[in-house]
């Protein structure tokens, strides 16, 4: 039936012969679905739909209202990738933390609400890294990593960055 939503005009249940229910969400014209999450709460099915974030009209704080969760990959006892063999340079976990911390400061100065999942650079399991983003209904989840190559690889053959997103 009809719903009050910035994203959808209506939600229609379809009762299937096997006893299951299929829900059809009819998006409003020009609405942008940014993401969704399906959860169970006791006996209820909860479906969270998120509209795309928009830049603030305040030019000095364009990210007001945007929630960003930052993960500095690895950490704790897990060094991640190591640098040049035999060197005493930083491990990946240290580079990740420095990059994540600096990015958090810049994003906060632009108005974003930023949460670092491991503010003391500790080692977390997968759920420990992802759960804050789900709980906060974050607009963005950024995980910092630095790759390395094997000792036998000519690093001059590789350049650039990788960005993964969902």
């Amino acid at each position: 039936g009809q719903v009050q939503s910035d994203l959808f005009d209506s939600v229609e249940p379809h009762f299937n012969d096997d006893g299951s229910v299929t829900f059809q969400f009819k998006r409003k014209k020009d609405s942008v679905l940014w993401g969704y999450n399906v959860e169970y709460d006791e006996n209820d099915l909860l479906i969270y739909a998120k509209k795309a974030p928009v830049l603030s009209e305040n030019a000095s704080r364009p990210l007001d209202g945007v929630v960003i969760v930052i993960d500095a990959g690895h950490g704790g006892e897990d060094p991640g990738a190591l640098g040049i063999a035999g060197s005493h340079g930083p491990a990946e976990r240290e580079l990740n933390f420095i990059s994540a911390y600096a990015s958090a400061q810049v994003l906060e100065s632009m108005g974003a609400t930023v949460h670092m999942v491991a503010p003391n650079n500790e080692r977390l399991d997968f759920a420990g890294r992802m759960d804050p983003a789900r709980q906060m209904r974050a607009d963005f989840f950024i995980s910092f990593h630095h790759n390395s190559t094997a000792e036998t690889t000519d690093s001059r053959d590789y350049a650039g960055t990788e960005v993964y997103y969902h």
Side-chain angles (χ1 to χ4, degrees):
Q2 294 296 320
V3 296
Q4 289 184 321
S5 168
D6 292 340
L7 288 171
F8 304 109
D9 282 325
S10 65
V11 178
E12 300 292 336
H14 300 279
F15 299 94
N16 304 313
D17 293 337
D18 64 1
S20 64
V21 180
T22 302
F23 289 92
Q24 181 178 12
F25 293 81
K26 295 186 180 179
R27 260 189 324 119
K28 288 185 176 180
K29 185 179 182 192
D30 299 325
S31 69
V32 178
L33 179 63
W34 188 247
Y36 65 90
N37 195 34
V38 179
E39 298 176 12
Y40 297 100
D41 181 18
E42 304 214 5
N43 294 324
D44 296 325
L45 175 68
L46 304 171
I47 301 172
Y48 294 93
K50 188 168 192 68
K51 65 181 185 175
V54 294
L55 292 177
S56 167
E57 293 183 18
N58 181 349
S60 66
R61 296 181 55 85
L63 298 180
D64 270 341
V66 175
V67 177
I68 302 172
V69 173
I70 294 181
D71 165 45
H74 302 283
E77 311 82 44
D78 180 2
L82 300 176
I84 300 170
S87 77
H88 298 288
E92 178 185 4
R93 72 172 167 233
E94 295 156 339
L95 296 172
N96 294 343
F97 186 76
I98 291 166
S99 299
Y101 186 78
S103 296
Q105 289 181 324
V106 170
L107 292 166
E108 286 172 344
S109 75
M110 297 174 70
T113 299
V114 178
H115 175 78
M116 286 194 56
V117 297
N120 297 315
N121 206 15
E122 63 268 23
R123 174 77 174 137
L124 298 174
D125 63 10
F126 183 74
R129 293 177 185 283
M130 296 301 299
D131 285 349
R134 287 187 194 108
Q135 291 166 356
M136 297 180 77
R137 311 270 182 247
D139 297 298
F140 296 94
F141 175 83
I142 305 170
S143 183
F144 284 81
H145 290 271
H146 292 75
N147 293 335
S148 68
T149 58
E151 290 180 41
T152 58
T153 303
D154 186 349
S155 297
R156 294 175 294 184
D157 292 337
Y158 299 93
T161 59
E162 293 177 318
V163 177
Y164 298 94
Y165 62 94
H166 178 70

